[in-house]
Amino acid sequence: MSKVKTLGQFIIEKQSDFPYAKGEFSRLLRDIGIAAKIVNREVNKAGLADILGEAGETNVQGEQVKKLDIFANEQFIAALTVGGEVCAIVSEENEEIITVDNPQSKNAKYVVAIDPLDGSSNIDANVSVGTIFSVYRRTSLSGPGTIEDFMQRGTEQVAAGYVIYGSSTMLVYTTGRGVNGFTLDPSIGEFCLSHPNIKMTRSGKTYSINEGYYVHFQDGVKKFIKWCQEEDKATNRPYSSRYIGSAVADIHRNLLYGGIFIYPTTAQAPKGKLRLLYECNPLAFIVEQAGGKASDGTKRIMEIDTKALHQRTPIFIGSADIVEMAEDYMRKYAAVEVKG
Ligand code: AHM
Ligand code: MG
């Protein structure tokens, strides 16, 4: 007997944790897994196929879109639409929500927020990219989903996950009962449980931030970076600086080895760069479930009110002790700034 447990087997096994589950949610996760495999196939052969390069369009944030962004977006939307468990989707690539209105989605209970290919500016250089997803129960009663279905706090997520297309491809997800990681075995085309019950250490030795923007950071961030660089044996400092520029890859590494990832406010991004619904909340849910923390500098990411589909927030996410230390610096220096 093989000891391998596939994502499909794992999902079915976990379904029995929910006595009244009818399998809808399991099917939804399965649909995401299928789309992830298709996207993985394309990402891996990106250098060979004529799929690399700019598509000549800009997305709703005014950023240039790569062909693979469009491809990934289409794949996830198609899988979720055909799957029948989702009544609306919000994607980084679409300004408006995508309502799902087909016969098989008549009783759909869920809405999904997704960043189909995060860090896509890295693809040309063969650097890891990722997909991030977040699942909520709809709040509207029936019919196609509405914008209001997405105006929920991160604490209301029923599941969240990411796929990292890296040296191997992994799917990591949580349903609020811990975090599990599955590695894609290309020889059998299945995600196999490789990282059961991932736990993040309370501290670590890595800080990840784009220090190129240093002059534009708030004083709290500057002082915290200096703290990371100080010598202190007891807390393993100085920390190492690691910044891939692909949030999924940076946060995945820190999830496994400990550390902090920060995308603060900058002059160019006065509200931060990353998006609450499909980047920060799902990553926060995973990291919290692994024992870490996610904050906007002063408050918990998952308690921020969602007021717009593409809302941004600064983020400090990672090992609990280090995030708390960063928050201390943010509070202390915000107070100094106010006092003048
Ligand atoms: P994207 O959604 O347009 O790909 O942007 C998000 C990415 C994150 O993965 C990464 O952490 C960040 O942008 C890097 O931004 P910067 O180059 O400003 O450091
Ligand atoms: Mg993104």
Side-chain angles (χ1 to χ4, degrees), residues 92 115 118 275 279:
E92 180 178 327
D115 183 350
D118 184 66
R275 275 56 59 118
E279 293 175 324

Side-chain angles (χ1 to χ4, degrees), residues 59 63 92 115 117-121 210 213 243 245-248 250 261 263 273-275 279:
N59 71 10
E63 299 151 335
E92 180 178 327
D115 183 350
L117 211 58
D118 184 66
S120 51
S121 61
N210 189 338
Y213 305 141
Y243 190 74
S246 200
V248 173
D250 275 312
F261 171 92
Y263 206 111
K273 178 182 183 190
L274 301 187
R275 275 56 59 118
E279 293 175 324

Side-chain angles (χ1 to χ4, degrees), residues 5 9 12 20 26 79 137 145 163 230 232 234 238 256 259 268 306:
K5 189 174 288 175
Q9 289 166 334
I12 291 168
Y20 302 107
S26 304
R137 208 163 269 117
V163 184
E230 276 164 22
D232 178 48
L256 298 183
Q268 290 89 344
T306 307

Side-chain angles (χ1 to χ4, degrees), residues 158-169:
V158 293
Y162 61 76
V163 184
I164 175 167
Y165 311 96
S167 45
S168 59
T169 293

Side-chain angles (χ1 to χ4, degrees), residues 10-30:
F10 185 86
I11 290 171
I12 291 168
E13 201 177 288
K14 291 292 160 197
Q15 198 179 311
S16 56
D17 287 352
F18 304 93
Y20 302 107
K22 294 196 199 114
E24 292 139 316
F25 181 61
S26 304
R27 284 196 290 276
L28 169 52
L29 286 178
R30 180 208 56 192

Side-chain angles (χ1 to χ4, degrees), residues 222-241:
K222 289 181 176 167
K223 301 281 187 214
F224 173 72
I225 292 175
K226 288 292 161 221
W227 178 83
C228 293
Q229 296 169 343
E230 276 164 22
E231 184 109 51
D232 178 48
K233 283 216 169 65
T235 50
N236 245 328
R237 286 177 292 145
Y239 292 165
S240 293
S241 166

